[in-house]
C-alpha cells in the first residue's frame, strides 16, 4: 500500500518536471513504468539515440529496489555498455545491494544516464553470450559482483 | 489517478518558490510525504517512524547515508514535529497568499445581480473583521472563494493546484481558533489512512479535515447569512448553528446536508458570529480509533523487540501474533517466513504507533495490518506465484527460451558422450568463460519458472 502511495507521488512529480534527456514513455499502472533516456553530450556511442528503461516495482518499493532493465522495442536498441547485457539487464550496484529507499525513478534514470555518458567502450560485459542464453531476465535473481569502480 | 495531495512543487508557481526546499526538507525521503511521527537516526537523518523501521528491518542501514544503524537507536525528533506542525497549519494560507498565476475562472452560473449583492453585503458588514481574520489581503481571494463555492465537488481534479478546495472555511476556522487542534489534525491525516478503517462520515463529525480529499461541503444553491459549522464545515442558519455544532461534537450526523446552503459571504463570517465553542472540550474524534499519546514510560514498557528469526520458534511467533489478536492460520498452513514477516510488520506498526502524536488503538492497528496484507496479496507482482497465472500464455511467450534450453542441454549431453576427457565440459561453459572483471552468477539452474519465483 505504501508503494502505491509513493509511486503516485513520484508520478505526479515526474509529470511536472523531469531533468533534460529523461522522459516518461508509459506509466499506465503502478507496477511497470517505461522511461526514455537520452545521452545529452556528443558521446559518439549514444549520439542521437533514445533508450528505453523498464521499471518494475514490487509491493515493497521503495524498501526494495525496482527491477530496472533496458528494453528493446521498435527502433529502440539496448545501449552498448560494458555493464549492460544485450538482453537489457543492467549491472549497477545502485539497483542491487546499494539500493536505498531515498532513491527514486528520477535519480535512477539520472544515474544510468550518467553511466552511459561517461562510457567510452563500445563493448558488452564479458560473458554476455552465456548470460543472455541462460535466459535470466529478472535482475533480482542475479548476484552481480560489483568490482569495477571505473565506470 | 488521484494526485490530489500536497506536494513541494505546489510552491513553484508562487512568488516564493524557495518554500519548495523547505517543504522537501519537512518530507520523509522514503515515503515523500510530510513526516509522520518523525524520528532521527543516530547519523542524524530524520524519517517517519514507520518508514525508517521498515527500512531498517530490510537492511540495517540509514537510507540516506548508508551508515549502519539500529532501530533501538532511533530517537523522536520533536523539533521537526513542531516545525512541521506549524508549517502544515499555515501551508494553505501561504499557498493562497503567495500564488501568482491565477487559474481561469470556471463559467459563472449565478446571476450577476446576486453576485453583486453578495459583494456589497460583504463589504458593508464584515469587511473589517475579515481583514483581521485573514492575513492574506489578496484581491484574488474573492474570485477564488466564489469559484470554490460554485464548483465545490469538481474543483479537486480540475486544476493544477487541486488542493484549493472547499475545506478552506473549516480549515481556516481550525487554524484560527485553535492552532493546537490544527496541529493534531494536520500531522496525523497522512499516514493513518482513516478511510481504510473508518467511513468518511465518522470522521466528518470529528473535525478532521482530510488533506487532498474532495470537498465535503454539499453543493447547494446560495442563500443568505449562513454560518459554517466549526466542526464539520457545513453551513447553517445562525440560530441553528449552536444546536448543530453540539450534535456534531456528540458525533451525530447532521440530518440532511441538502438543507445546508453554500454562500459566499458566509464562509468569511467573523469569529464573533461563530458559536462560542471551546475546542479543548471536544472529545477525541472516533474514540474507538485513536487513543491518547503514549508517555515515555509507557513507550519503554510497550516497545516490542524485533527478535531473531532463527532463534525464535515458530510456535512462539504464532503465540505472539495470537496474543495481539492477529489472524494466524491453522498450524502448518503458513510458513514460518510468512508469519515472521507478519510479526515484523506488526512490530514496525506498533513501535511507530508509539511515537505517534495521535496513536491508534490496538484494534485499529490490527485492522490496518490485515488490510495492507490483503492488499499486497491481491496485487502480487510475481506472475508465477499468482494463482491466475496464465500458464499457456507464459509458455507461448517463452517458447523459444525453452527450446533453446532444451537444445543446449542436448548439446551438452552429446558433448559429454563424444568427448570423454571433458566430462564436465557442459557445466564448465558457465564457469570457464567467467568474465574477469564482472561476473554474473545465477541462482538456481533450470527452467524460467524456477527463476522467476
Amino acid at each position: 500500500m505504501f508503494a502505491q502511495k509513493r509511486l503516485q507521488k513520484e508520478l505526479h512529480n515526474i509529470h511536472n518536471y523531469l531533468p533534460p534527456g529523461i522522459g516518461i514513455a508509459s506509466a499506465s499502472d503502478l507496477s511497470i513504468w517505461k522511461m526514455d533516456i537520452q545521452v545529452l553530450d556528443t558521446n559518439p556511442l549514444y549520439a542521437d539515440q533514445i533508450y528505453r528503461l523498464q521499471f518494475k516495482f514490487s509491493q515493497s518499493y521503495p524498501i526494495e529496489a525496482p527491477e530496472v532493465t533496458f528494453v528493446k522495442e521498435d527502433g529502440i536498441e539496448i545501449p552498448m555498455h560494458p555493464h549492460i547485457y544485450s538482453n537489457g539487464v543492467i549491472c549497477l550496484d545502485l539497483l542491487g545491494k546499494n539500493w536505498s529507499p531515498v532513491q527514486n525513478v528520477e535519480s535512477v534514470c539520472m544515474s544510468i544516464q550518467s553511466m552511459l555518458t561517461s562510457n567510452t567502450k563500445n563493448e558488452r560485459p564479458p560473458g554476455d553470450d552465456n548470460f543472455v542464453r541462460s535466459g535470466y531476465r529478472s535482475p533480482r535473481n542475479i548476484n552481480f559482483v560489483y568490482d569495477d569502480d571505473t565506470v | 489517478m488521484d494526485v490530489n495531495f500536497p506536494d513541494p512543487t505546489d510552491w513553484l508557481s508562487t512568488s516564493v518558490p524557495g518554500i519548495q526546499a523547505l517543504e522537501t526538507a519537512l518530507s520523509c525521503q522514503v515515503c515523500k510525504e510530510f513526516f509522520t511521527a518523525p524520528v532521527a537516526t543516530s547519523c542524524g537523518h530524520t524519517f517517519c517512524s514507520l518508514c525508517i523501521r521498515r527500512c531498517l528491518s530490510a537492511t540495517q542501514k540509514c537510507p540516506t547515508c548508508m551508515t549502519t544503524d539500529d532501530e533501538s537507536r532511533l530517537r523522536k525528533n520533536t523539533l521537526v514535529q513542531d516545525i512541521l506542525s506549524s508549517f502544515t497549519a499555515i501551508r494553505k494560507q501561504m499557498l493562497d497568499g503567495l500564488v501568482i498565476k491565477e487559474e481561469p475562472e470556471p463559467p459563472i452560473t449565478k446571476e450577476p445581480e446576486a453576485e453583486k449583492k453578495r459583494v456589497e453585503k460583504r463589504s458593508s458588514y464584515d469587511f473589517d473583521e475579515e481583514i483581521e481574520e485573514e492575513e492574506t489581503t489578496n484581491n484574488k481571494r474573492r474570485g477564488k472563494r466564489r469559484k470554490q463555492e460554485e464548483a465545490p465537488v469538481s474543483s479537486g481534479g480540475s486544476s493544477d493546484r487541486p488542493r484549493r478546495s472547499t475545506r478552506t472555511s473549516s480549515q481556516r476556522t481550525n487554524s484560527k481558533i485553535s492552532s493546537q487542534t490544527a496541529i493534531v489534525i494536520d500531522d496525523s491525516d497522512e499516514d493513518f489512512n482513516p478511510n481504510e478503517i473508518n467511513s468518511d462520515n465518522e470522521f466528518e463529525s470529528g473535525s478532521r479535515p482530510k488533506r487532498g480529499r474532495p470537498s465535503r461541503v454539499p453543493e447547494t444553491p446560495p442563500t443568505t447569512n449562513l454560518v459554517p459549522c466549526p466542526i464539520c464545515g457545513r453551513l447553517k442558519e445562525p440560530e441553528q448553528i449552536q444546536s448543530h455544532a453540539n450534535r456534531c461534537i456528540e458525533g451525530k450526523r447532521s440530518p440532511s446536508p441538502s438543507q445546508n446552503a453554500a454562500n459566499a459571504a458566509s464562509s468569511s463570517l467573523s469569529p464573533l458570529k461563530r458559536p462560542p465553542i471551546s475546542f479543548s472540550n471536544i472529545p477525541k474524534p472516533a474514540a474507538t480509533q485513536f487513543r491518547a499519546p503514549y508517555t515515555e514510560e509507557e513507550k519503554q514498557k510497550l516497545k516490542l523487540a524485533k527478535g531473531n528469526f532463527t532463534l525464535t520458534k515458530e510456535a512462539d511467533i504464532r503465540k505472539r501474533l495470537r496474543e495481539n489478536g492477529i489472524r494466524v492460520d491453522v498450524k502448518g498452513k503458513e510458513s514460518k517466513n510468512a508469519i515472521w514477516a507478519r510479526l515484523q510488520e506488526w512490530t514496525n506498526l506498533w513501535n511507530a504507533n508509539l511515537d505517534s502524536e495521535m496513536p491508534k488503538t490496538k484494534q485499529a492497528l490490527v485492522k490496518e495490518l490485515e488490510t495492507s496484507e490483503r492488499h499486497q496479496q491481491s496485487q502480487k507482482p510475481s506472475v508465477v506465484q499468482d494463482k491466475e497465472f496464465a500458464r499457456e500464455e507464459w509458455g507461448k511467450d517463452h517458447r523459444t527460451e525453452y527450446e533453446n534450453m532444451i537444445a543446449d542441454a542436448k548439446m551438452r549431453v552429446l558433448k559429454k558422450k563424444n568427448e570423454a576427457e571433458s566430462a564436465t565440459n557442459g557445466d564448465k561453459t558457465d564457469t570457464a568463460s567467467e568474465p574477469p572483471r564482472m561476473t554474473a552468477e545465477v541462482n538456481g539452474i533450470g527452467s524460467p519458472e524456477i527463476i522467476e519465483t
Side-chain angles (χ1 to χ4, degrees):
Chain A
M1 199 168 301
F2 49 90
Q4 267 85 0
K5 222 173 168 187
R6 151 103 185 223
L7 282 168
Q8 270 191 7
K9 196 127 195 162
E10 278 193 45
L11 193 62
H12 177 63
N13 286 351
I14 283 175
H15 280 305
N16 278 346
Y17 170 78
L18 270 177
I22 296 172
I24 186 160
S26 74
S28 48
D29 58 20
L30 293 178
S31 58
I32 296 181
W33 293 3
K34 288 184 179 168
M35 305 289 293
D36 282 345
I37 65 170
Q38 209 177 347
V39 175
L40 291 174
D41 72 347
T42 52
N43 190 333
L45 283 172
Y46 312 113
D48 303 324
Q49 286 287 323
I50 292 177
Y51 301 105
R52 187 155 289 177
L53 279 171
Q54 177 179 271
F55 284 74
K56 262 188 183 172
F57 305 101
S58 77
Q59 288 293 314
S60 313
Y61 179 82
I63 309 292
E64 210 172 73
E67 282 181 25
V68 185
T69 50
F70 278 102
V71 285
K72 213 170 179 170
E73 285 180 14
D74 297 337
I76 297 176
E77 293 297 313
I78 310 275
M80 224 31 180
H81 190 283
H83 291 176
I84 299 170
Y85 290 93
S86 51
N87 59 357
V89 172
I90 307 164
C91 176
L92 181 65
D93 60 350
L94 186 74
L95 301 172
K97 67 167 188 202
N98 279 356
W99 166 259
S100 150
V102 301
Q103 306 286 353
N104 55 35
V105 172
E106 187 186 318
S107 71
V108 168
C109 285
M110 282 169 77
S111 300
I112 294 173
Q113 193 187 30
S114 73
M115 175 175 136
L116 293 181
T117 310
S118 57
N119 176 41
T120 51
K121 294 180 196 146
N122 185 13
E123 57 184 43
R124 289 279 174 216
D128 181 48
D129 282 355
N130 270 319
F131 178 75
V132 173
R133 198 147 24 96
S134 62
Y136 295 98
R137 288 249 191 94
S138 162
R140 184 149 302 151
N141 304 295
I142 306 164
N143 291 324
F144 284 114
V145 180
Y146 310 103
D147 49 4
D148 182 8
D149 295 330
T150 58
V151 184
Chain B
M1 186 172 296
D2 180 24
V3 286
N4 203 1
F5 38 67
D7 194 87
T9 49
D10 292 348
W11 297 103
L12 293 178
S13 52
T14 65
S15 53
V16 192
I19 300 180
Q20 187 200 11
L22 174 64
E23 186 165 322
T24 309
L26 287 173
S27 307
C28 170
Q29 286 306 297
V30 175
C31 63
K32 311 278 181 195
E33 315 233 3
F34 283 131
F35 290 115
T36 309
V39 290
T41 59
S42 57
C43 48
H45 297 105
T46 301
F47 303 93
C48 298
S49 186
L50 184 56
C51 291
I52 186 66
R53 282 170 205 280
R54 279 177 175 150
C55 292
L56 290 178
S57 24
T59 48
Q60 302 250 303
K61 277 178 185 167
C62 164
T64 305
C65 63
M66 304 302 254
T67 324
T68 310
D69 206 345
D70 188 79
E71 244 197 276
S72 58
R73 278 182 286 194
L74 297 176
R75 289 290 173 269
K76 200 171 171 183
N77 199 337
T78 43
L79 176 64
V80 169
Q81 176 75 67
D82 293 348
I83 298 173
L84 181 67
S85 305
S86 355
F87 181 78
T88 47
I90 55 167
R91 186 184 189 275
K92 173 86 177 71
Q93 212 177 353
M94 287 203 293
L95 200 58
D96 282 352
L98 295 173
V99 84
I100 311 168
K101 277 186 289 175
E102 190 54 23
E103 302 138 38
E105 295 217 346
I108 293 167
T109 48
K110 282 172 208 158
E111 291 149 47
E113 279 89 8
E115 186 69 18
K116 219 172 156 189
K117 240 202 247 159
R118 270 191 291 144
V119 175
E120 278 164 17
K121 188 167 247 154
R122 275 179 61 231
S123 53
S124 62
Y125 81 81
D126 64 7
F127 192 62
D128 289 349
E129 293 155 344
E130 200 182 332
I131 289 178
E132 258 176 45
E133 185 185 341
E134 298 181 46
E135 282 88 333
T136 52
T137 48
N138 188 343
N139 57 3
K140 289 163 190 159
R141 190 189 49 206
R142 192 176 52 79
K144 238 178 259 161
R145 182 172 301 138
R146 194 172 61 215
K147 177 195 145 201
Q148 89 199 8
E149 271 144 16
E150 274 167 21
V153 180
S154 63
S155 67
S158 62
S159 69
D160 59 333
R161 263 180 306 283
R163 285 193 66 246
R164 202 182 300 125
S165 62
T166 39
R167 71 190 172 83
T168 327
S169 58
S170 64
Q171 196 195 37
R172 192 187 301 129
T173 314
N174 284 330
S175 60
K176 193 74 196 171
I177 293 186
S178 158
S179 61
Q180 198 54 44
T181 317
I183 284 166
V184 175
I185 288 162
D186 268 324
D187 102 275
S188 53
D189 61 353
E190 281 284 10
D191 250 36
F192 275 166
N193 269 334
N195 48 324
E196 286 164 23
I197 43 174
N198 205 350
S199 81
D200 282 6
N201 280 332
E202 278 172 80
F203 269 86
E204 278 182 25
S205 61
S207 81
R208 285 169 49 85
K210 265 170 278 172
R211 197 179 290 142
R213 290 269 146 196
S215 85
R216 63 172 96 90
V217 177
E219 193 172 15
T220 36
T223 54
T224 47
N225 265 348
L226 294 185
V227 188
C229 165
I231 315 298
C232 71
R234 285 202 182 98
L235 295 162
K236 285 274 163 193
E237 295 287 343
E239 304 88 285
Q240 293 175 1
I241 189 75
Q242 181 73 61
S243 58
H244 168 81
N246 286 340
R247 252 174 306 161
C248 265
I249 292 167
E250 282 158 26
K252 286 175 197 154
R253 263 174 239 163
S254 165
S256 94
S258 59
Q259 315 173 335
N260 314 313
N263 183 306
S266 60
S267 62
S268 62
L269 281 179
S270 72
L272 298 173
K273 299 230 171 211
R274 292 195 188 102
I277 286 168
S278 157
F279 268 65
S280 54
N281 291 338
I282 296 172
K284 281 261 178 257
T288 49
Q289 296 294 327
F290 298 96
R291 46 152 292 147
Y294 292 94
T295 64
E296 283 303 317
E297 277 173 28
E298 281 176 311
K299 271 189 209 173
Q300 289 308 317
K301 223 171 88 189
L302 292 169
K303 204 155 220 167
L304 293 178
K306 268 278 150 78
N308 178 302
F309 178 74
T310 36
L311 293 181
T312 316
K313 282 188 196 130
E314 205 173 321
D316 287 341
I317 304 175
R318 281 172 200 282
K319 199 177 137 207
R320 278 167 68 183
L321 286 172
R322 231 177 264 127
E323 276 170 1
N324 288 301
I326 302 165
R327 177 185 52 86
V328 196
D329 275 6
V330 198
K331 197 175 177 179
K333 258 199 168 177
E334 283 181 302
S335 69
K336 188 183 175 186
N337 276 319
I339 56 171
W340 177 255
R342 188 173 303 149
L343 184 63
Q344 294 298 295
E345 181 66 8
W346 168 253
T347 314
N348 287 336
L349 278 172
W350 177 261
N351 287 346
N353 192 47
L354 293 180
D355 289 330
S356 172
E357 293 282 295
M358 200 167 170
K360 291 182 181 174
T361 58
K362 200 172 184 178
Q363 290 92 323
L365 273 188
V366 171
K367 219 165 180 182
E368 191 178 310
L369 180 76
E370 281 176 8
T371 322
S372 78
E373 250 189 31
R374 226 174 325 167
H375 188 80
Q376 297 220 350
Q377 276 164 1
S378 67
Q379 304 201 359
K380 268 249 151 67
S382 166
V383 261
V384 179
Q385 281 176 345
D386 196 353
K387 271 181 192 162
E388 325 265 296
F389 168 56
R391 217 156 262 281
E392 281 182 24
E393 289 284 301
W394 179 273
K396 261 184 220 162
D397 285 355
H398 297 262
R399 192 185 183 92
T400 46
E401 274 173 49
Y402 286 119
E403 284 173 353
N404 284 344
M405 269 187 284
I406 293 168
D408 260 18
K410 279 183 181 164
M411 280 290 288
R412 279 184 217 167
V413 174
L414 268 180
K415 263 189 191 169
K416 271 186 197 171
K417 272 187 187 168
N418 292 346
E419 301 169 38
E421 109 284 339
S422 56
T424 53
N425 203 18
D427 299 332
K428 267 190 183 170
T429 44
D430 280 342
T431 46
S433 60
E434 202 167 300
R437 284 198 341 233
M438 214 179 63
T439 49
E441 65 181 68
V442 179
N443 290 337
I445 301 160
S447 73
E449 282 189 55
I450 295 166
I451 304 153
E452 292 284 333
T453 47

